[in-house]
């Protein structure tokens, strides 16, 4: 019998940050470049506007990632402190809650007192148990305060440069636009497939959804620019 291998994502938070950054990075600058191509023929101006948007977007989204990680950390610490006080001041009530949680997991009633006593014998582990199974909170990794903004901002910047590449080498926007659309669609499909693989979704469905969303955003920006100009 062949050995059983389980496929699990070891860092879902980092993957989520990468997906957030890359998804917006591939979509927003793509839409901006397409929209400007409807009114401007100088590729250099589109490159300047695109790089400025990428810089602003990377900083903004990176800051958002930092604030989200900081809020998550502060929320966990606040709830942990409250739960620790409840364990110290209301041990019987908290022990009853442990028993209720274990009963929901199917622990036989006859075995509940032994299991509850074992958990409650270690206050810190007891609090961790309540945090996870009563409140549904996992202890956040303190490294995420730095990792989250770096991953989101970097992914946004990398994704944002993709649709701008043709404009860096082709002087006329009208000629660069079809190339930008082509490589952006390839990048969106590849990113969507990667996201689907990592999240356990159907790869081609995820790829198609990502490409369609990015295409609609770019098409809307282009049409609006055409109508306004």
């Amino acid at each position: 019998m062949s050995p059983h291998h389980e496929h699990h994502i070891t860092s879902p938070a980092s993957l989520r940050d990468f997906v957030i950054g890359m998804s917006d990075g591939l979509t927003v600058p793509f839409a901006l470049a397409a929209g400007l191509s409807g009114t401007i023929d100088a590729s250099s101006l589109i490159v300047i506007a695109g790089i400025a948007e990428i810089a602003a977007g990377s900083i903004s989204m990176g800051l958002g990632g930092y604030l989200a990680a900081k809020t998550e950390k502060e929320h966990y610490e606040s709830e942990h402190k409250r739960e620790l006080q409840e364990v110290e001041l209301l041990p019987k009530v908290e022990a009853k809650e442990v028993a209720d949680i274990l009963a929901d997991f199917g622990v036989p009633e006859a075995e509940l007192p032994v299991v509850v006593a074992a958990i409650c014998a270690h206050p810190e582990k007891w609090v961790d148990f309540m945090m996870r199974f009563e409140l549904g909170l996992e202890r956040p990794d303190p490294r995420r305060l730095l990792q989250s903004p770096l991953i989101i901002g970097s992914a946004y910047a990398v994704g944002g440069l993709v649709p701008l590449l043709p404009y860096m080498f082709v002087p006329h926007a009208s000629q660069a636009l079809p190339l930008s659309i082509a490589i952006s669609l390839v990048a969106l499909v590849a990113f969507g497939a990667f996201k689907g693989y990592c999240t356990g979704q159907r790869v081609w469905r995820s790829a198609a959804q990502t490409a369609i969303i990015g295409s609609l955003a770019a098409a809307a920006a282009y049409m609006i620019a055409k109508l306004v100009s």
Side-chain angles (χ1 to χ4, degrees), residues 1-111:
M1 181 181 295
S2 60
H4 172 64
H5 297 286
E6 295 188 1
H7 174 69
H8 294 289
I9 300 172
T10 56
S11 184
S14 295
L15 175 62
R16 183 179 67 239
D17 291 339
F18 174 78
V19 168
I20 291 172
M22 184 62 71
S23 179
D24 281 4
L26 285 171
T27 304
V28 178
F30 180 27
L32 174 66
L36 290 176
S37 296
T39 58
I40 300 174
D41 191 48
S43 292
S44 58
L45 295 178
I46 295 177
V47 171
I48 293 172
I51 291 177
E53 194 286 326
I54 290 172
S58 297
I59 294 172
S60 176
M61 294 197 66
L63 179 60
Y66 171 79
L67 293 175
K70 187 172 185 291
T71 299
E72 181 183 8
K73 179 176 178 292
E74 291 174 346
H75 175 61
Y76 183 91
E77 290 174 349
S78 174
E79 292 297 328
H80 186 276
K81 181 179 179 180
R82 183 181 294 109
E83 197 65 39
L84 186 60
Q85 292 175 341
E86 291 177 355
V87 164
E88 293 175 352
L89 300 176
L90 303 168
K92 291 183 178 180
V93 174
E94 292 298 299
K96 176 62 168 58
E97 292 179 354
V98 172
D100 293 339
I101 293 170
L102 293 172
D104 289 339
F105 274 98
V107 177
E109 186 174 353
E111 299 176 10

Side-chain angles (χ1 to χ4, degrees), residues 80-166:
H80 186 276
K81 181 179 179 180
R82 183 181 294 109
E83 197 65 39
L84 186 60
Q85 292 175 341
E86 291 177 355
V87 164
E88 293 175 352
L89 300 176
L90 303 168
K92 291 183 178 180
V93 174
E94 292 298 299
K96 176 62 168 58
E97 292 179 354
V98 172
D100 293 339
I101 293 170
L102 293 172
D104 289 339
F105 274 98
V107 177
E109 186 174 353
E111 299 176 10
L112 281 176
V114 177
V115 180
V116 171
I119 293 175
C120 298
H122 306 280
E124 188 61 34
K125 296 293 184 182
W126 184 1
V127 172
D128 288 343
F129 178 89
M130 299 302 290
M131 292 293 292
R132 176 176 298 182
F133 296 104
E134 181 190 24
L135 302 179
L137 297 176
E138 295 281 351
R139 185 184 298 275
D141 186 345
R143 295 175 299 179
R144 291 211 14 93
L145 286 173
L146 178 62
Q147 289 179 347
S148 183
L150 285 178
I151 292 173
I152 294 177
S154 299
Y156 186 94
V158 171
L161 287 174
V162 171
L164 291 182
L165 287 176

